[in-house]
Amino acid sequence: MWKRATVVGCGLIGASFALALKRAGTCERIAGWDVCADALDEARRRTIIDEVDQSFARGEVSSSDLIYLAMPVGEIIRFLREHGQLVRRGALVTDAGSTKAEICRAARAHLPKGRLFIGGHPVAGSHLRGLERARADLFVGACYVLVCESPETAEVERAFSSLSALIEQMGARLQILTADEHDRVFAYTSHLPQLLASALATTVEDHPAAERLFDLIGPGYRDMTRLAASSWTIWQDILSTNALNITAALDDVIAILDAVRRELRADDRNALRQTERLFHRRIDLSG
């Protein structure tokens, strides 16, 4: 399907994509590029990539016909701005960013005519990072969003079809959204949970009796705060590029918590209607 792919950003997602691409057998050679030389050396040592793509560092046009951008959102936007002109004509550029609207705008602004861009977001990975945790089956069973914006040309439609087929071949569940739809949805299902987990962890850590509280922590707290170990480097970009949608999600959850607080302050165990509602889930998330 592709003669040469370059994975830019050899962390968990980028390295896993390279391994999954190798397993799919749809690319002849896989190159890598990363600002961290150690990451590139390790990726080659583990045979995650076949070679280093030095073209972007040298200011030369890359020979790759598939470019996969697997960095924090801000770095993806910066790459498109500073290196977009080094993508070869006819090549497909896709990304793994957790917000989509600003990335898609950057691609339209900075990729020269004749270069194709399809935004993507693999809903996989974890709060842990690093290519040492990469695996070829990371995307199996995971949701993988591709962004479809209209109107599209026949060339983009062909590229979209090829990329969709690759994602399904990797075992992921393909979902197609617009950039704005993506950012609204994930403000609730991803960005809000991160803030809630971090807020809970901070509340306990800042408590005057925090040391005693930690002596008594159980699995419920650990499950709730697992996301709090996520990197600010990644989340700073996500929050700043999806601020309005995340604000709306925060407003909704704050309204619910405020209603619960008012009921509890009333000290009437027979009038906890809003609080009781929280314990009657409409969606089974056990699976």
Side-chain angles (χ1 to χ4, degrees), residues 37-58:
D38 290 342
L40 282 174
D41 290 342
E42 185 67 8
R44 290 191 68 181
R45 188 185 72 80
R46 294 173 180 260
T47 65
I48 294 172
I49 60 174
D50 302 312
E51 60 195 32
V52 176
D53 189 342
Q54 299 283 8
S55 57
F56 300 112
R58 294 171 178 168

Side-chain angles (χ1 to χ4, degrees), residues 6-15 17 32-36 56 67-84 93-100 103 117 120-122 129 231 233-235 237-238 241:
T6 293
V7 174
V8 183
C10 295
L12 172 63
I13 297 297
F17 183 85
W33 188 48
D34 199 295
V35 294
C36 177
F56 300 112
I67 308 290
Y68 190 79
L69 306 179
M71 309 97 84
V73 172
E75 292 298 316
I76 292 172
I77 293 171
R78 186 174 298 110
F79 177 92
L80 291 168
R81 184 175 62 246
E82 297 179 357
H83 303 290
V93 181
T94 187
D95 77 298
S98 297
T99 61
K100 296 268 68 80
I103 288 175
F117 180 82
H121 178 196
R129 305 168 65 193
S231 167
T233 301
I234 293 175
W235 278 96
D237 291 345
I238 294 172
T241 55

Side-chain angles (χ1 to χ4, degrees), residues 208-231:
E211 188 173 338
R212 180 59 175 156
L213 294 181
F214 279 115
D215 287 339
L216 301 171
I217 278 174
Y221 178 86
R222 286 191 288 270
D223 289 344
M224 277 287 294
T225 57
R226 175 182 59 83
L227 293 174
S230 299
S231 167

Side-chain angles (χ1 to χ4, degrees), residues 261-272:
R261 180 173 58 182
R262 289 196 304 269
E263 288 185 344
L264 293 173
R265 279 180 172 171
D267 196 22
D268 182 356
R269 67 183 62 190
N270 296 315
L272 298 177

